[in-house]
Amino acid sequence: MRIDFATEPSRYRHWRLDCAGAVATLTLDVDPAGGLFPGTELKLNSYDLGVDIELADAVTRLRFEHPEVRVVVMRSGKENVFCAGANIGALARASHMHKVNFCKFTNETRLAIEDASENSGQRYLAALGGTAAGGGYELALACDWIMLIDDRRSVVSLPELALLGVLPGTGGLTRLTDKRQVRRDRADLFCATEEGARGQRALDWRLVDEIVTPSSWDEKVAERALALAASSDRPDDAQGVPLPPLTRDIGDDTLTYPHVRVALDRATRRAEITVLGPETVPQTVADIDSADFWPLALARELDDAILHLRFNEPGLGIIVFRSEGNPINVLAIDALLDEARDSWFEREVRLYWKRVLKRIDVTSRSLFTLIEPGSCFAGFLAELVFAADRALMFSGTRAGDRRAAPTLCLSSTNFGDYLMGNGLTRLATRFLGEPDSLERVEKAVGKPVLAEEAEALGLVTASYDEVDWDDEIRLALEERASFSADALTGLEANLRFPGPETMETRIFGRLSAWQNWIFQRPNATGGEGALKRYGTGLRPRFDPERV
Amino acid sequence: MRIDFATEPSRYRHWRLDCAGAVATLTLDVDPAGGLFPGTELKLNSYDLGVDIELADAVTRLRFEHPEVRVVVMRSGKENVFCAGANIGALARASHMHKVNFCKFTNETRLAIEDASENSGQRYLAALGGTAAGGGYELALACDWIMLIDDRRSVVSLPELALLGVLPGTGGLTRLTDKRQVRRDRADLFCATEEGARGQRALDWRLVDEIVTPSSWDEKVAERALALAASSDRPDDAQGVPLPPLTRDIGDDTLTYPHVRVALDRATRRAEITVLGPETVPQTVADIDSADFWPLALARELDDAILHLRFNEPGLGIIVFRSEGNPINVLAIDALLDEARDSWFEREVRLYWKRVLKRIDVTSRSLFTLIEPGSCFAGFLAELVFAADRALMFSGTRAGDRRAAPTLCLSSTNFGDYLMGNGLTRLATRFLGEPDSLERVEKAVGKPVLAEEAEALGLVTASYDEVDWDDEIRLALEERASFSADALTGLEANLRFPGPETMETRIFGRLSAWQNWIFQRPNATGGEGALKRYGTGLRPRFDPERV
């Protein structure tokens, strides 16, 4: 079954998005019969990937379509329960690949919520009018402020360890320790207590920010929402930019969008993604503020393509990035984005690119970027070069090809706008041990750099001329495809993120790695494991050996 | 087969330790027939746990027994090969538990080498007179300076990915990215190249620090050793402190040392470790500078006990720490250690405790510390309280027990000497989100703190009086034993290390977690996996699916 990440509010089955001036409300009201896979019953507002696809869509739309929204209130449409977390039946039946990618996607969505708050002026308020368990509480942890109804019944809890033999893996442990900085022994107690915490204890342990009696609940939630909205820098009088459905053609071996072509080569285990540069540069503001604005259109298409590959094409272990177009046009649009620092819309486009690039960074496929004649890797698009595990550049021209020797062209945006999860630019990450090289590269801003110079500057891994190019590329890709897929995943997860760690890198690099290990262990997923036996009435049987 | 970590130079089969003034030489000359497990042939200076136990012993002895040594030259006793890394046959046949614990121990030994250099003035020089592959190169990476002979043949390499389908998991990836800050695409190329790098390329890519022609090899190694020695602050005229064999009795259900008692309760899956306080406080320097000095003797015994439990008692998922003795004596010795800032020996004792405590931090067992009447958790010994996942304190006295209500007593050393792998004290880690609490606790230095106050200060998780103590402790420990061993390991690995990351925490938390996951994957350890098929002449068969 092909998993589709494209949706829109009119098609939501599980969320309702209501906007009223500065305050939007996202109401979770899961349709139990609306599971992504047949046979799943999504009880008690538990979620599967389908529910989260809608949430991710809503979070993105709120930023582009609703410039007036300054605070988003997340609440439940069901009595006494906010959200029971990931649906265990669905999780237990899912393949290891699906489990891991499901967790990665839900983590990205929660980080997108935090990004909206930190960078877009859309604050999130978790209004827990009932119990938030497991992934439900982790969703609340991604918000700026957590209100819990104090009705002697509603709790927050992370029962994964006790009930399922796994971790709270959607950032829960990391947000407890790093974001809320809960004392480690209290975090230990909380995570080992199926019942969770309510009322004053939940507040005292910093698990929630506020507890409110039922009689004043609605009033206090409204007050708090307005208080959060007050700190926003969203514009007062802007028009939203609607995001229309993607134009997309999904063939057996191709994925085709207006600005992105994907060729799926299953024999060589490659997805070849070609990004098409802009044909024109907008002349008026009216041309810009629309979903047709090339960098926005491209970001949406590339995001969709990456997610498609993750879930629907796990056998393709290599992504090859190419580009086609006029680098002058790319630079002109890059400059537009750079200059419009005061515009909410251009800010959103830059932030969307930041998120798409981060999604690429944590995609467990080997990334090769090829810079060939006719390519347009310039400005922000050059980030696809620096995101790659290896970047290879064609030196000179091809016989019979009238196109000029390819160039790489940096802009100032490569030095600040598109930070990785580790808080550094890709170039700063690349030259962590070589501050001189970083300075040298900064002097190349605005200049087209040919292959030899790009290699000398350390911007690409290697360059080859026409004599060697085809063989070298073929050999490198064939060799890559011959390695263990798992060892590559571990290697790339380590090498891509040198230097500083942040909550974000710790979620993907530490928490998720442990969770993936646990997902492989018989104590969780074996026939008598906790995840498999949950809900059967049988107790799990554990091998007590500690490794 | 019981694995024993106690050894001494006269019993080494694989290393030779030669001291000549300021320069010591550690020569690796592995006895192929000396494998820890029968049937292992340790060819080409490849190592198993037994080889590393000797190395760890040598690194510790050099610090205590050889105050005159300022630089340690690591070299090979075999022609053309420095070290071929971990023995693959041994690794492939080992259980998952053994693999994981083997890697953890070897990582700790390499970190101990770096600690000797950074804090003890014993610098390490890797003199690679032949190829250093895999774990052999990782050993070199732990040294201050790597010299590679430039003979057109000798290489450094990390062939794990290509040959074995696993990672260079003894810190190799992390030291490439964080310590040597090799550019990420070069690191990727290097790790995907079975042949490794030699000569100028190895130097240009910062994989080694110096390349030397064979004709000047001995001379240059000697010069470099002296240059490294020059930066040392080791004493000129001190007497070494010999470390005699441990006094130890290993019974079926007990481990008994002069200052440490371990009761093994397999029914409840607990190891109960009781640390015995000092009976006397040394009056003269002569009493101090010996292996009988209580904190040194205790550290050695505790270190041995923890390692014994890790490898020989994997079924015991909980370690319960207790202490017995006079806290006044502990504080007096803690003050001696604190005051003797200029003494190389007291420095070594403090650093040894730092390492033992860090070994406890990364031990994958649930840690409970119980503070009961008669206990002596004071000064540095109180770190066992803050290292615990939970610390529980008895409030008041027991009927019929004439001992006073237990106290906890901090000293200034709790605020700086015993840093965790994350670079913070355990108290700073504990109160990461509560700077006020940390300040409040600092005011309690030197004062005996009773249970209620300890709980109010946040120093312990909970306190119970006689009425509840036995039941509460029993219930907490029984509950802990009922959980999935793997989920607990993942939980503890996340909750124990909030806040900043260092190369050290990244090795244990990120690199090792991914390696553990890979060790569970059929592509590595399945019947057709790369680790299993290595050396059989058969090619591994890989499932190409990326997860």
Side-chain angles (χ1 to χ4, degrees), chain B residues 136-153:
Chain B
Y137 177 50
E138 290 178 301
L139 185 55
L141 283 168
C143 297
D144 293 284
W145 191 265
I146 305 176
M147 301 177 78
L148 175 63
I149 198 163
D150 191 13
D151 60 0
R152 297 168 179 276
R153 178 175 53 189

Side-chain angles (χ1 to χ4, degrees), chain A residues 96 184-185 188 314 364 366 388 390 430 461 480 486 492-493 497 501 506 510 517 520 523 546-547, chain B residues 96 184-185 188 314 364 366 388 390 430 461 480 486 493 497 501 506 510 517 521 523 546-547:
Chain A
H96 185 64
R184 55 171 279 202
D185 54 346
D188 182 276
S364 61
S366 297
R390 297 197 204 158
R430 185 174 184 82
T461 313
R480 197 75 170 190
D486 306 313
E492 291 154 5
F497 298 94
E501 297 252 5
R506 282 157 64 87
R510 174 186 276 267
W517 174 72
Q520 284 282 295
N523 281 344
R546 281 289 192 117
V547 299
Chain B
H96 185 65
R184 55 170 280 204
D185 54 346
D188 182 278
S364 60
S366 297
R390 297 197 205 159
R430 184 173 185 83
T461 314
R480 197 75 169 188
D486 306 313
F497 297 95
E501 296 253 4
R506 282 157 65 87
R510 173 187 277 265
W517 174 73
R521 299 284 292 161
N523 281 343
R546 281 288 192 119
V547 298

Side-chain angles (χ1 to χ4, degrees), chain B residues 290-303:
Chain B
S290 95
D292 292 333
F293 185 40
W294 171 76
L296 174 55
L298 179 61
R300 294 182 70 207
E301 296 168 13
L302 190 54
D303 208 23

